[in-house]
Amino acid sequence: MFKPFTLVALLFVGLSSAVFAETLKLSSQDIADGEFMSKAQEFNGFGCAGGDLSPQLTWSGVPEGTKSFAITAYDPDAPTGSGWWHWQIVNIPHTVTEIAAGAGSAKNDLAPEGSVQIANDFGYRGFGGACPPEGHGVHHYRFTVHALSVEKLELPKEASGALTGYMINANTIATSTIESLYKRD
């Protein structure tokens, strides 16, 4: 039987480790939570004329058991009935904690080795920037890093955004999101 002092000590140790445990935290030099993105993150096409540049992203506080990462960029405000996938990159090695600006472009070699970019809702693999319909108001772009419990997501070559999202969520240990804004008047 535990003595009252022992129970208090065990409770304190349990609480202190929970309080001091790191939490996954996403940050960026290019985008900020609740702030409007620049023209650099706007799509180039569909009537938009931006730089179509994926933002620089850094994360810290990686939880124990993380075996890989995925990054998603999603617009829930797109008038589609299902939102809009702007970017999904999976199988990022667990040793990577930063992705360079422009890593979402298939034209360069900035994505982490071994990672896989999924076709976005514009129809090609990689990052597709913000391009809400003119006059549709403010759209919220959720850039999320997912710490995953598996080294590699086994996906078909032409996996949809929905299937990829399902597999990411089924294997997520922790997430952190920056919700940036964009609108076209």
Side-chain angles (χ1 to χ4, degrees), residues 27 30 52 80 83 87 109 114 118 120 124 136 140 151 177 179:
S27 60
D30 300 323
D52 208 18
T80 64
W87 194 22
D109 195 22
I118 305 301
N120 59 40
Y124 65 88
H136 201 255
H140 300 78
E151 269 185 50
T177 299
E179 186 175 84

Side-chain angles (χ1 to χ4, degrees), residues 108-152:
N108 61 37
D109 195 22
L110 296 176
E113 189 174 335
S115 65
V116 175
Q117 302 211 47
I118 305 301
N120 59 40
D121 283 340
F122 291 111
Y124 65 88
R125 293 177 180 275
F127 177 77
C131 188
E134 286 184 352
H136 201 255
V138 175
H139 281 222
H140 300 78
Y141 295 84
R142 296 177 183 157
F143 291 84
T144 304
V145 63
H146 305 258
L148 303 179
S149 61
V150 295
E151 269 185 50
K152 184 177 180 184

Side-chain angles (χ1 to χ4, degrees), residues 2 41 61 65 94 117 152:
F2 287 112
Q41 279 75 49
H94 75 281
Q117 302 211 47
K152 184 177 180 184

Side-chain angles (χ1 to χ4, degrees), residues 4-18:
F5 175 76
T6 306
L7 285 174
V8 170
L10 287 173
L11 180 61
F12 177 74
V13 168
L15 287 176
S16 65
S17 63

